[in-house]
């Protein structure tokens, strides 16, 4: 993983993305193809990552019928393929004011609990727990996985969301208003090729939830711009130019 051969952004070959999905039990890191298909029986993962639709083959072993009416509606069927629409998928750009260290996540015995935890708390590296004074540490405890609890978390993290005004593969803009400091979590893999500005000033991008992208924002109004350029793009461009000249 990690091979960069595109001028636009592509998450399939991003090691941070694959590592995050493996830690919550949705893929196996030694099987590249699984980084493109999240196992359906991880509905919490799908909701957190903003998955809105899924194609499921009827009778597939990974398809848990008991969870189907709770999380999805069947909107169409083609041959033996069901087209499902997820209920209350998280929008792009959610915010959280609670956090846990990565070691807390690692200590959870069941990968389902790890995926469930991501619905309500941002995971940060242990060494960075003191970097975000506006976030509250919430100790991880085993909780019943109820539909009401999941809906409550949805309401909390979508109370303040990013409003997109422009969006394409290598550039997007948006704005958000906050009444208190929060972590803005963007559901795409952390990559050093992305650069951000907030209110016109260069702004640090945080690696959160093992492999996703975040911005730690203070209270107030924020105009946010992201741009992507592959690492060493300019350097390789000049090397190629020099090779052509000589």
């Amino acid at each position: 993983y990690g091979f960069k051969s595109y001028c636009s952004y592509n998450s399939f070959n991003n090691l941070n993305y694959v590592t995050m999905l493996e830690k919550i039990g949705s893929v196996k890191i030694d099987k590249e193809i699984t980084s493109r298909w999240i196992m359906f029986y991880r509905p919490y993962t799908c909701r957190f990552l903003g998955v809105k639709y899924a194609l499921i083959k009827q009778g597939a072993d990974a398809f848990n019928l008991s969870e189907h009416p709770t999380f999805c509606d069947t909107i169409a069927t083609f041959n033996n393929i069901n087209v499902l629409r997820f209920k209350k998928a998280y929008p792009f750009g959610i915010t959280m004011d609670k956090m846990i260290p990565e070691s807390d996540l690692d200590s959870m015995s069941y990968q389902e609990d790890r995926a469930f935890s991501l619905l309500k708390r941002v995971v940060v590296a242990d060494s960075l727990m003191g970097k975000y004074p506006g976030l509250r540490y919430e100790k991880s405890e085993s909780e019943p996985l109820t539909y009401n609890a999941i809906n409550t978390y949805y309401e909390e993290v979508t109370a303040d969301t990013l409003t997109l005004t422009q969006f394409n593969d290598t550039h997007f803009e948006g704005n958000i208003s906050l009444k208190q400091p929060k972590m803005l979590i963007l559901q795409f893999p952390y990559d050093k090729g992305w650069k951000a500005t907030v209110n016109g000033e260069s702004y640090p991008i945080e690696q959160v939830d093992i492999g996703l992208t975040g911005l730690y924002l203070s209270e107030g109004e924020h105009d946010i711009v992201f741009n992507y350029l592959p690492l060493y793009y300019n350097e390789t461009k000049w090397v190629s130019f020099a090779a052509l000249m000589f």
Side-chain angles (χ1 to χ4, degrees):
Y1 306 116
F3 177 68
K4 298 291 191 298
S5 60
Y6 308 96
C7 60
S8 62
Y9 181 67
N10 190 308
S11 66
F12 286 164
N13 53 10
N14 187 292
L15 184 58
N16 294 319
Y17 170 74
V18 177
T19 301
M20 184 272 293
L21 291 178
E22 184 192 40
K23 184 157 288 193
I24 58 177
S26 292
V27 304
K28 295 185 181 299
I29 202 167
D30 58 343
K31 295 183 179 179
E32 192 274 342
I33 193 64
T34 64
S35 70
R36 307 172 186 226
W37 303 94
I38 295 176
M39 299 177 190
F40 180 75
Y41 61 83
R42 303 291 184 189
Y44 314 120
T45 304
C46 293
R47 173 174 281 200
F48 170 71
L49 292 176
V51 175
K52 295 180 174 60
Y53 298 94
L55 303 178
I56 302 295
K57 186 176 181 180
Q58 294 176 359
D61 292 338
F63 182 44
N64 189 335
L65 286 172
S66 66
E67 292 179 329
H68 170 270
T70 302
F71 292 98
C72 308
D73 292 318
T74 300
I75 59 175
T77 300
F78 302 95
N79 297 322
N80 65 337
I81 303 295
N82 288 332
V83 182
L84 307 179
R85 179 169 54 202
F86 277 84
K87 299 176 181 178
K88 293 189 175 181
Y90 280 17
F92 182 76
I94 59 175
T95 54
M96 295 185 181
D97 61 2
K98 295 186 283 289
M99 64 178 174
I100 59 171
E102 194 169 334
S103 58
D104 275 21
L105 195 75
D106 292 339
S107 69
M108 296 179 186
S109 302
Y110 300 102
Q111 291 172 324
E112 192 83 348
D113 289 339
R114 297 180 185 181
F116 187 64
S117 181
L118 292 178
L119 294 175
K120 58 176 179 173
R121 295 173 288 235
V122 60
V123 179
V124 302
D126 288 42
S127 60
L128 299 179
M129 284 291 287
K131 185 179 179 180
Y132 315 112
L135 303 185
R136 175 167 52 90
Y137 168 54
E138 182 177 83
K139 184 174 176 59
S140 302
E141 296 178 352
S142 180
E143 302 174 55
L145 306 183
T146 67
Y147 188 61
N148 286 339
I150 292 171
N151 280 340
T152 298
Y153 304 150
Y154 175 87
E155 299 300 329
E156 290 178 358
V157 304
T158 60
D160 301 306
T161 58
L162 181 69
T163 299
L164 287 171
T165 55
Q166 293 187 37
F167 188 91
N168 62 46
D169 288 343
T170 58
H171 172 90
F172 65 88
E173 301 181 17
N175 55 74
I176 190 171
S177 177
L178 298 176
K179 295 181 181 179
Q180 66 181 80
K182 288 187 175 183
M183 184 71 76
L184 173 66
I185 302 166
L186 302 160
Q187 293 98 323
F188 66 88
Y190 175 83
D191 190 300
K192 292 182 179 179
W194 285 102
K195 304 299 179 185
T197 63
V198 175
N199 296 332
E201 301 290 334
S202 180
Y203 205 83
I205 298 175
E206 311 293 339
Q207 183 170 347
V208 299
D209 291 335
I210 302 110
L212 298 185
T213 301
L215 293 179
Y216 177 60
L217 300 172
S218 62
E219 62 181 283
E221 305 287 333
H222 305 283
D223 292 317
I224 296 168
V225 178
F226 269 77
N227 288 292
Y228 180 76
L229 195 66
L231 289 178
Y232 312 118
Y233 176 80
N234 288 324
E235 290 87 341
T236 55
K237 181 175 65 175
W238 284 111
V239 169
S240 299
F241 177 75
L244 290 174
M245 293 294 295
F246 297 98

